[in-house]
Amino acid sequence: MTKPGPRVFIRTAATVALLACLMGGPALAQPYSAFGLQFWNDTHEPRKPELGICMTDRQIRQAIAARGYADISLNVAGDRRIQVRATEGGTVYLLDFDFCNNTIIDRQALR
């Protein structure tokens, strides 16, 4: 059996150092959790787990429609959020929607 060369040890050390850097980041504030639901103080509804990939415009429209809204219009998307104008029960709302974890952050009645 042959001994591993110095490149193997260098790769292993680099991998361990990288993992230590990634895991040693600052601790983030944890939300209040009750029975697996995460409630944040700044959200309109319970925050859902983050999706593996953010939603497309079509998926955003479907997610908003599934909540009972109609006449859905999307505004320009930011990094994770998009403003959505939608109607529910005769009232027009401006929704602040996080499309990376399928959560309505804020809801304001417009008219």
Side-chain angles (χ1 to χ4, degrees):
M1 183 168 167
T2 61
K3 290 185 179 181
R7 288 185 180 177
V8 173
F9 289 115
I10 292 172
R11 277 192 233 142
T12 304
T15 303
V16 170
L18 178 64
L19 289 174
C21 288
L22 292 176
M23 293 174 58
L28 300 174
Q30 294 296 314
Y32 171 74
S33 178
F35 305 107
L37 296 176
Q38 296 178 349
F39 291 91
W40 296 67
N41 293 334
D42 66 341
T43 61
H44 174 72
E45 64 185 12
R47 190 173 293 258
K48 298 179 175 96
E50 186 151 343
L51 305 171
I53 190 166
C54 295
M55 303 169 89
T56 64
D57 288 354
R58 181 177 178 173
Q59 291 170 330
I60 293 169
R61 290 178 201 277
Q62 290 173 341
I64 298 295
R67 289 172 169 86
Y69 292 93
D71 299 326
I72 300 164
S73 299
L74 304 180
N75 202 341
V76 177
D79 289 338
R80 294 179 55 99
R81 294 183 178 184
I82 189 169
Q83 285 189 332
V84 179
R85 190 181 60 88
T87 305
E88 180 187 44
T91 305
V92 178
Y93 292 99
L94 181 64
L95 308 173
D96 187 14
F97 185 72
D98 186 335
F99 56 88
C100 288
N101 66 1
N102 193 12
T103 303
I104 296 175
I105 304 296
D106 190 29
R107 182 175 92 158
Q108 298 175 8
L110 297 178
R111 40 187 160 123

